[in-house]
Amino acid sequence: KNQVEQSPQSLIILEGKNCTLQCNYTVSPFSNLRWYKQDTGRGPVSLTIMTFSENTKSNGRYTATLDADTKQSSLHITASQLSDSASYICVVSLISNFGNEKLTFGTGTRLTIIP
Amino acid sequence: EAQVTQNPRYLITVTGKKLTVTCSQNMNHEYMSWYRQDPGLGLRQIYYSMNVEVTDKGDVPEGYKVSRKEKRNFPLILESPSPNQTSLYFCASSAGGSLSGYTFGSGTRLTVV
């Protein structure tokens, strides 16, 4: 069964500190892996997209890594800001037998930044 | 501004009363999809559409209908809502292709009593 598991479920850190969120997946065949940021009550917003051959991708203070052999990804946030408080969702994509892309969503990590 | 617009943002209705949640995108995207988000679960796909007049079931289609008569619009129809359809709903669109980004709407919080 295709699954995406994220850890921790929730995390609280002080403003200015770094943190790393984890994602393990069993989706196959793998196409790409995405990280999204979701503010409370809003739709998810894309942070990074990585294919099988990419090990790392950065977007400002966000850096995602991918190890396709172990089927693990991480999202590292540097110098956290209060606006980083949100849920971070790992999404793994496969291409179905019908040629359409199918996304499998993790349940997210709820990150809270405190002053 | 490129966006996906959902309406309404909030809706409270009674069991069995038909309702429609609208979704419109201004990016000329071919692919559109509906998801529901429930506590403790990842987003789950309800229906998707790869182009006009082309729709298909996602993972949790029971109790929902969709239509795609125009490229920009993809309404979600609940013919007879039940309390287990209380959820947060998101519409998304994409240009298609495996590395295309998905743009999500702001969500519709539906409560069925």
Side-chain angles (χ1 to χ4, degrees):
Chain A
K1 181 181 180 183
N2 292 322
Q3 286 186 310
V4 177
E5 296 184 352
Q6 293 187 243
S7 62
Q9 276 192 318
S10 61
L11 182 62
I12 301 174
I13 64 172
L14 289 172
E15 184 180 10
K17 297 296 186 182
N18 303 335
C19 66
T20 300
L21 314 180
Q22 302 290 344
C23 173
N24 296 337
Y25 63 91
T26 59
V27 175
S28 181
F30 173 89
S31 175
N32 60 73
L33 186 144
R34 308 162 186 256
W35 282 94
Y36 281 85
K37 177 185 180 186
Q38 185 179 20
D39 293 313
T40 302
R42 310 295 294 184
V45 174
S46 181
L47 295 174
T48 62
I49 302 175
M50 287 184 292
T51 63
F52 183 92
S53 60
E54 294 176 294
N55 299 119
T56 185
K57 182 79 67 87
S58 291
N59 178 359
R61 294 179 296 103
Y62 300 102
T63 300
T65 65
L66 173 64
D67 185 334
D69 291 332
T70 61
K71 297 187 178 181
Q72 295 179 326
S73 176
S74 66
L75 180 69
H76 185 74
I77 304 175
T78 304
S80 61
Q81 300 176 357
L82 296 178
S83 59
D84 292 332
S85 293
S87 287
Y88 291 84
I89 303 174
C90 177
V91 185
V92 182
S93 162
L94 60 80
I95 302 298
S96 75
N97 292 335
F98 304 102
N100 61 297
E101 183 176 39
K102 181 171 174 57
L103 304 181
T104 301
F105 291 79
T107 54
T109 292
R110 177 71 205 172
L111 177 64
T112 302
I113 311 298
I114 55 176
Chain B
E1 179 189 354
Q3 60 185 1
V4 175
T5 303
Q6 291 180 231
N7 280 298
R9 286 295 309 276
Y10 302 92
L11 180 60
I12 301 175
T13 189
V14 296
T15 299
K17 185 176 181 181
K18 181 179 178 180
L19 65 91
T20 299
V21 183
T22 64
C23 173
S24 180
Q25 51 94 4
N26 62 1
M27 296 164 281
N28 201 36
H29 283 169
E30 292 188 347
Y31 183 91
M32 297 185 75
S33 182
W34 276 103
Y35 298 89
R36 62 178 288 174
Q37 187 175 37
D38 301 293
L41 298 176
L43 274 78
R44 293 179 292 168
Q45 190 179 54
I46 302 171
Y47 267 94
Y48 65 94
S49 170
M50 298 185 74
N51 213 326
V52 175
E53 302 291 2
V54 180
T55 63
D56 208 347
K57 297 177 180 178
D59 297 318
V60 288
E62 294 77 20
Y64 305 94
K65 284 175 56 177
V66 293
S67 69
R68 188 91 181 272
K69 293 183 170 60
E70 308 164 281
K71 200 171 190 178
R72 64 182 292 122
N73 295 322
F74 190 45
L76 179 69
I77 303 157
L78 284 73
E79 293 271 4
S80 182
S82 61
N84 64 12
Q85 293 178 298
T86 292
S87 187
L88 180 58
Y89 291 86
F90 289 101
C91 179
S93 74
S94 168
S98 65
L99 292 179
S100 295
Y102 287 76
T103 301
F104 285 81
S106 296
T108 295
R109 184 166 292 281
L110 172 66
T111 303
V112 184
V113 298

PDB file of all heavy atoms in Angstrom, chain B residues 68-91:
ATOM      1  N   ARG B  68     -17.246  18.918 -15.626  1.00  0.00           N
ATOM      2  CA  ARG B  68     -16.226  19.790 -16.209  1.00  0.00           C
ATOM      3  C   ARG B  68     -16.702  20.202 -17.609  1.00  0.00           C
ATOM      4  O   ARG B  68     -16.279  19.677 -18.628  1.00  0.00           O
ATOM      5  CB  ARG B  68     -14.884  19.059 -16.304  1.00  0.00           C
ATOM      6  CG  ARG B  68     -13.734  19.968 -16.712  1.00  0.00           C
ATOM      7  CD  ARG B  68     -13.024  20.573 -15.568  1.00  0.00           C
ATOM      8  NE  ARG B  68     -11.951  21.464 -15.950  1.00  0.00           N
ATOM      9  CZ  ARG B  68     -10.687  21.081 -16.170  1.00  0.00           C
ATOM     10  NH1 ARG B  68     -10.368  19.796 -16.103  1.00  0.00           N
ATOM     11  NH2 ARG B  68      -9.759  21.973 -16.464  1.00  0.00           N
ATOM     12  N   LYS B  69     -17.605  21.160 -17.633  1.00  0.00           N
ATOM     13  CA  LYS B  69     -18.174  21.636 -18.889  1.00  0.00           C
ATOM     14  C   LYS B  69     -17.294  22.718 -19.530  1.00  0.00           C
ATOM     15  O   LYS B  69     -17.336  22.933 -20.743  1.00  0.00           O
ATOM     16  CB  LYS B  69     -19.582  22.155 -18.673  1.00  0.00           C
ATOM     17  CG  LYS B  69     -20.585  21.064 -18.290  1.00  0.00           C
ATOM     18  CD  LYS B  69     -21.986  21.618 -18.168  1.00  0.00           C
ATOM     19  CE  LYS B  69     -23.018  20.521 -18.019  1.00  0.00           C
ATOM     20  NZ  LYS B  69     -22.772  19.688 -16.819  1.00  0.00           N
ATOM     21  N   GLU B  70     -16.550  23.405 -18.681  1.00  0.00           N
ATOM     22  CA  GLU B  70     -15.630  24.442 -19.166  1.00  0.00           C
ATOM     23  C   GLU B  70     -14.276  24.180 -18.541  1.00  0.00           C
ATOM     24  O   GLU B  70     -14.193  23.612 -17.448  1.00  0.00           O
ATOM     25  CB  GLU B  70     -16.094  25.837 -18.745  1.00  0.00           C
ATOM     26  CG  GLU B  70     -17.521  26.179 -19.073  1.00  0.00           C
ATOM     27  CD  GLU B  70     -17.959  27.390 -18.269  1.00  0.00           C
ATOM     28  OE1 GLU B  70     -18.284  27.223 -17.080  1.00  0.00           O
ATOM     29  OE2 GLU B  70     -17.950  28.505 -18.823  1.00  0.00           O
ATOM     30  N   LYS B  71     -13.225  24.663 -19.191  1.00  0.00           N
ATOM     31  CA  LYS B  71     -11.887  24.394 -18.685  1.00  0.00           C
ATOM     32  C   LYS B  71     -11.649  25.031 -17.328  1.00  0.00           C
ATOM     33  O   LYS B  71     -10.965  24.471 -16.480  1.00  0.00           O
ATOM     34  CB  LYS B  71     -10.869  24.919 -19.688  1.00  0.00           C
ATOM     35  CG  LYS B  71      -9.476  24.319 -19.554  1.00  0.00           C
ATOM     36  CD  LYS B  71      -8.613  24.731 -20.723  1.00  0.00           C
ATOM     37  CE  LYS B  71      -7.319  23.960 -20.733  1.00  0.00           C
ATOM     38  NZ  LYS B  71      -6.487  24.321 -21.902  1.00  0.00           N
ATOM     39  N   ARG B  72     -12.188  26.205 -17.090  1.00  0.00           N
ATOM     40  CA  ARG B  72     -11.863  26.943 -15.878  1.00  0.00           C
ATOM     41  C   ARG B  72     -12.658  26.496 -14.657  1.00  0.00           C
ATOM     42  O   ARG B  72     -12.245  26.759 -13.535  1.00  0.00           O
ATOM     43  CB  ARG B  72     -12.067  28.437 -16.115  1.00  0.00           C
ATOM     44  CG  ARG B  72     -13.492  28.849 -16.392  1.00  0.00           C
ATOM     45  CD  ARG B  72     -13.611  30.342 -16.667  1.00  0.00           C
ATOM     46  NE  ARG B  72     -13.328  31.119 -15.471  1.00  0.00           N
ATOM     47  CZ  ARG B  72     -12.367  32.038 -15.400  1.00  0.00           C
ATOM     48  NH1 ARG B  72     -11.603  32.297 -16.427  1.00  0.00           N
ATOM     49  NH2 ARG B  72     -12.175  32.703 -14.283  1.00  0.00           N
ATOM     50  N   ASN B  73     -13.790  25.824 -14.831  1.00  0.00           N
ATOM     51  CA  ASN B  73     -14.668  25.507 -13.694  1.00  0.00           C
ATOM     52  C   ASN B  73     -14.767  24.008 -13.419  1.00  0.00           C
ATOM     53  O   ASN B  73     -14.864  23.195 -14.356  1.00  0.00           O
ATOM     54  CB  ASN B  73     -16.074  26.050 -13.953  1.00  0.00           C
ATOM     55  CG  ASN B  73     -16.098  27.564 -14.031  1.00  0.00           C
ATOM     56  OD1 ASN B  73     -15.392  28.247 -13.295  1.00  0.00           O
ATOM     57  ND2 ASN B  73     -16.914  28.097 -14.932  1.00  0.00           N
ATOM     58  N   PHE B  74     -14.812  23.679 -12.142  1.00  0.00           N
ATOM     59  CA  PHE B  74     -14.889  22.263 -11.741  1.00  0.00           C
ATOM     60  C   PHE B  74     -15.689  22.189 -10.436  1.00  0.00           C
ATOM     61  O   PHE B  74     -15.135  22.042  -9.345  1.00  0.00           O
ATOM     62  CB  PHE B  74     -13.472  21.704 -11.565  1.00  0.00           C
ATOM     63  CG  PHE B  74     -13.398  20.216 -11.383  1.00  0.00           C
ATOM     64  CD1 PHE B  74     -14.123  19.351 -12.188  1.00  0.00           C
ATOM     65  CD2 PHE B  74     -12.552  19.672 -10.421  1.00  0.00           C
ATOM     66  CE1 PHE B  74     -14.026  17.984 -12.036  1.00  0.00           C
ATOM     67  CE2 PHE B  74     -12.450  18.298 -10.253  1.00  0.00           C
ATOM     68  CZ  PHE B  74     -13.188  17.452 -11.063  1.00  0.00           C
ATOM     69  N   PRO B  75     -17.017  22.268 -10.516  1.00  0.00           N
ATOM     70  CA  PRO B  75     -17.841  22.248  -9.304  1.00  0.00           C
ATOM     71  C   PRO B  75     -17.929  20.866  -8.673  1.00  0.00           C
ATOM     72  O   PRO B  75     -17.921  19.848  -9.375  1.00  0.00           O
ATOM     73  CB  PRO B  75     -19.206  22.715  -9.816  1.00  0.00           C
ATOM     74  CG  PRO B  75     -19.218  22.329 -11.261  1.00  0.00           C
ATOM     75  CD  PRO B  75     -17.802  22.477 -11.747  1.00  0.00           C
ATOM     76  N   LEU B  76     -18.038  20.863  -7.350  1.00  0.00           N
ATOM     77  CA  LEU B  76     -18.235  19.643  -6.568  1.00  0.00           C
ATOM     78  C   LEU B  76     -19.670  19.635  -6.066  1.00  0.00           C
ATOM     79  O   LEU B  76     -20.106  20.592  -5.431  1.00  0.00           O
ATOM     80  CB  LEU B  76     -17.269  19.608  -5.394  1.00  0.00           C
ATOM     81  CG  LEU B  76     -17.363  18.393  -4.472  1.00  0.00           C
ATOM     82  CD1 LEU B  76     -16.881  17.136  -5.181  1.00  0.00           C
ATOM     83  CD2 LEU B  76     -16.538  18.627  -3.195  1.00  0.00           C
ATOM     84  N   ILE B  77     -20.385  18.552  -6.352  1.00  0.00           N
ATOM     85  CA  ILE B  77     -21.810  18.473  -6.028  1.00  0.00           C
ATOM     86  C   ILE B  77     -22.028  17.371  -4.996  1.00  0.00           C
ATOM     87  O   ILE B  77     -21.553  16.241  -5.172  1.00  0.00           O
ATOM     88  CB  ILE B  77     -22.631  18.172  -7.295  1.00  0.00           C
ATOM     89  CG1 ILE B  77     -22.362  19.245  -8.355  1.00  0.00           C
ATOM     90  CG2 ILE B  77     -24.130  18.091  -6.959  1.00  0.00           C
ATOM     91  CD1 ILE B  77     -22.638  18.791  -9.762  1.00  0.00           C
ATOM     92  N   LEU B  78     -22.743  17.723  -3.925  1.00  0.00           N
ATOM     93  CA  LEU B  78     -23.179  16.741  -2.948  1.00  0.00           C
ATOM     94  C   LEU B  78     -24.692  16.637  -3.074  1.00  0.00           C
ATOM     95  O   LEU B  78     -25.422  17.540  -2.661  1.00  0.00           O
ATOM     96  CB  LEU B  78     -22.778  17.158  -1.534  1.00  0.00           C
ATOM     97  CG  LEU B  78     -21.299  16.976  -1.153  1.00  0.00           C
ATOM     98  CD1 LEU B  78     -20.419  18.018  -1.844  1.00  0.00           C
ATOM     99  CD2 LEU B  78     -21.118  17.049   0.361  1.00  0.00           C
ATOM    100  N   GLU B  79     -25.163  15.551  -3.673  1.00  0.00           N
ATOM    101  CA  GLU B  79     -26.595  15.415  -3.967  1.00  0.00           C
ATOM    102  C   GLU B  79     -27.418  15.264  -2.677  1.00  0.00           C
ATOM    103  O   GLU B  79     -28.502  15.821  -2.558  1.00  0.00           O
ATOM    104  CB  GLU B  79     -26.829  14.182  -4.854  1.00  0.00           C
ATOM    105  CG  GLU B  79     -26.250  14.304  -6.254  1.00  0.00           C
ATOM    106  CD  GLU B  79     -27.225  14.925  -7.240  1.00  0.00           C
ATOM    107  OE1 GLU B  79     -28.327  15.325  -6.836  1.00  0.00           O
ATOM    108  OE2 GLU B  79     -26.868  15.015  -8.433  1.00  0.00           O
ATOM    109  N   SER B  80     -26.892  14.515  -1.734  1.00  0.00           N
ATOM    110  CA  SER B  80     -27.601  14.294  -0.475  1.00  0.00           C
ATOM    111  C   SER B  80     -26.567  14.232   0.648  1.00  0.00           C
ATOM    112  O   SER B  80     -26.181  13.145   1.087  1.00  0.00           O
ATOM    113  CB  SER B  80     -28.416  12.991  -0.549  1.00  0.00           C
ATOM    114  OG  SER B  80     -29.144  12.803   0.651  1.00  0.00           O
ATOM    115  N   PRO B  81     -26.124  15.388   1.114  1.00  0.00           N
ATOM    116  CA  PRO B  81     -25.034  15.412   2.102  1.00  0.00           C
ATOM    117  C   PRO B  81     -25.376  14.662   3.385  1.00  0.00           C
ATOM    118  O   PRO B  81     -26.534  14.674   3.845  1.00  0.00           O
ATOM    119  CB  PRO B  81     -24.849  16.903   2.385  1.00  0.00           C
ATOM    120  CG  PRO B  81     -25.457  17.605   1.231  1.00  0.00           C
ATOM    121  CD  PRO B  81     -26.578  16.727   0.751  1.00  0.00           C
ATOM    122  N   SER B  82     -24.353  14.045   3.961  1.00  0.00           N
ATOM    123  CA  SER B  82     -24.514  13.350   5.240  1.00  0.00           C
ATOM    124  C   SER B  82     -23.440  13.872   6.195  1.00  0.00           C
ATOM    125  O   SER B  82     -22.437  14.446   5.772  1.00  0.00           O
ATOM    126  CB  SER B  82     -24.369  11.842   5.052  1.00  0.00           C
ATOM    127  OG  SER B  82     -23.082  11.542   4.562  1.00  0.00           O
ATOM    128  N   PRO B  83     -23.634  13.674   7.505  1.00  0.00           N
ATOM    129  CA  PRO B  83     -22.675  14.205   8.494  1.00  0.00           C
ATOM    130  C   PRO B  83     -21.237  13.728   8.265  1.00  0.00           C
ATOM    131  O   PRO B  83     -20.292  14.453   8.592  1.00  0.00           O
ATOM    132  CB  PRO B  83     -23.241  13.694   9.823  1.00  0.00           C
ATOM    133  CG  PRO B  83     -24.712  13.636   9.584  1.00  0.00           C
ATOM    134  CD  PRO B  83     -24.857  13.158   8.167  1.00  0.00           C
ATOM    135  N   ASN B  84     -21.055  12.533   7.688  1.00  0.00           N
ATOM    136  CA  ASN B  84     -19.677  12.066   7.467  1.00  0.00           C
ATOM    137  C   ASN B  84     -18.980  12.798   6.315  1.00  0.00           C
ATOM    138  O   ASN B  84     -17.804  12.531   6.016  1.00  0.00           O
ATOM    139  CB  ASN B  84     -19.620  10.546   7.258  1.00  0.00           C
ATOM    140  CG  ASN B  84     -20.339  10.079   6.007  1.00  0.00           C
ATOM    141  OD1 ASN B  84     -20.709  10.875   5.141  1.00  0.00           O
ATOM    142  ND2 ASN B  84     -20.534   8.777   5.883  1.00  0.00           N
ATOM    143  N   GLN B  85     -19.691  13.709   5.673  1.00  0.00           N
ATOM    144  CA  GLN B  85     -19.073  14.552   4.664  1.00  0.00           C
ATOM    145  C   GLN B  85     -18.661  15.916   5.228  1.00  0.00           C
ATOM    146  O   GLN B  85     -18.177  16.774   4.490  1.00  0.00           O
ATOM    147  CB  GLN B  85     -20.003  14.728   3.462  1.00  0.00           C
ATOM    148  CG  GLN B  85     -20.196  13.421   2.698  1.00  0.00           C
ATOM    149  CD  GLN B  85     -21.142  13.560   1.523  1.00  0.00           C
ATOM    150  OE1 GLN B  85     -22.327  13.883   1.694  1.00  0.00           O
ATOM    151  NE2 GLN B  85     -20.633  13.328   0.331  1.00  0.00           N
ATOM    152  N   THR B  86     -18.834  16.072   6.528  1.00  0.00           N
ATOM    153  CA  THR B  86     -18.297  17.247   7.196  1.00  0.00           C
ATOM    154  C   THR B  86     -16.779  17.192   7.091  1.00  0.00           C
ATOM    155  O   THR B  86     -16.152  16.223   7.529  1.00  0.00           O
ATOM    156  CB  THR B  86     -18.723  17.261   8.676  1.00  0.00           C
ATOM    157  OG1 THR B  86     -20.138  17.470   8.744  1.00  0.00           O
ATOM    158  CG2 THR B  86     -18.002  18.362   9.446  1.00  0.00           C
ATOM    159  N   SER B  87     -16.197  18.221   6.502  1.00  0.00           N
ATOM    160  CA  SER B  87     -14.771  18.176   6.219  1.00  0.00           C
ATOM    161  C   SER B  87     -14.312  19.522   5.672  1.00  0.00           C
ATOM    162  O   SER B  87     -15.113  20.428   5.457  1.00  0.00           O
ATOM    163  CB  SER B  87     -14.476  17.064   5.193  1.00  0.00           C
ATOM    164  OG  SER B  87     -13.081  16.878   5.010  1.00  0.00           O
ATOM    165  N   LEU B  88     -13.002  19.618   5.439  1.00  0.00           N
ATOM    166  CA  LEU B  88     -12.404  20.771   4.766  1.00  0.00           C
ATOM    167  C   LEU B  88     -12.060  20.331   3.352  1.00  0.00           C
ATOM    168  O   LEU B  88     -11.328  19.361   3.161  1.00  0.00           O
ATOM    169  CB  LEU B  88     -11.155  21.227   5.522  1.00  0.00           C
ATOM    170  CG  LEU B  88     -10.388  22.423   4.979  1.00  0.00           C
ATOM    171  CD1 LEU B  88     -11.285  23.656   4.890  1.00  0.00           C
ATOM    172  CD2 LEU B  88      -9.182  22.711   5.868  1.00  0.00           C
ATOM    173  N   TYR B  89     -12.602  21.039   2.379  1.00  0.00           N
ATOM    174  CA  TYR B  89     -12.455  20.651   0.987  1.00  0.00           C
ATOM    175  C   TYR B  89     -11.537  21.622   0.242  1.00  0.00           C
ATOM    176  O   TYR B  89     -11.626  22.844   0.417  1.00  0.00           O
ATOM    177  CB  TYR B  89     -13.828  20.629   0.297  1.00  0.00           C
ATOM    178  CG  TYR B  89     -14.711  19.521   0.792  1.00  0.00           C
ATOM    179  CD1 TYR B  89     -15.510  19.693   1.923  1.00  0.00           C
ATOM    180  CD2 TYR B  89     -14.745  18.293   0.146  1.00  0.00           C
ATOM    181  CE1 TYR B  89     -16.311  18.667   2.391  1.00  0.00           C
ATOM    182  CE2 TYR B  89     -15.550  17.267   0.601  1.00  0.00           C
ATOM    183  CZ  TYR B  89     -16.320  17.467   1.720  1.00  0.00           C
ATOM    184  OH  TYR B  89     -17.112  16.439   2.184  1.00  0.00           O
ATOM    185  N   PHE B  90     -10.680  21.044  -0.597  1.00  0.00           N
ATOM    186  CA  PHE B  90      -9.774  21.855  -1.409  1.00  0.00           C
ATOM    187  C   PHE B  90      -9.896  21.465  -2.879  1.00  0.00           C
ATOM    188  O   PHE B  90      -9.925  20.281  -3.223  1.00  0.00           O
ATOM    189  CB  PHE B  90      -8.315  21.663  -0.975  1.00  0.00           C
ATOM    190  CG  PHE B  90      -7.999  22.268   0.348  1.00  0.00           C
ATOM    191  CD1 PHE B  90      -7.930  21.481   1.486  1.00  0.00           C
ATOM    192  CD2 PHE B  90      -7.766  23.634   0.447  1.00  0.00           C
ATOM    193  CE1 PHE B  90      -7.640  22.050   2.719  1.00  0.00           C
ATOM    194  CE2 PHE B  90      -7.473  24.204   1.673  1.00  0.00           C
ATOM    195  CZ  PHE B  90      -7.412  23.407   2.813  1.00  0.00           C
ATOM    196  N   CYS B  91      -9.915  22.494  -3.711  1.00  0.00           N
ATOM    197  CA  CYS B  91      -9.826  22.319  -5.150  1.00  0.00           C
ATOM    198  C   CYS B  91      -8.395  22.667  -5.564  1.00  0.00           C
ATOM    199  O   CYS B  91      -7.773  23.557  -4.961  1.00  0.00           O
ATOM    200  CB  CYS B  91     -10.823  23.245  -5.842  1.00  0.00           C
ATOM    201  SG  CYS B  91     -10.823  23.169  -7.638  1.00  0.00           S
TER     202      CYS B  91
END
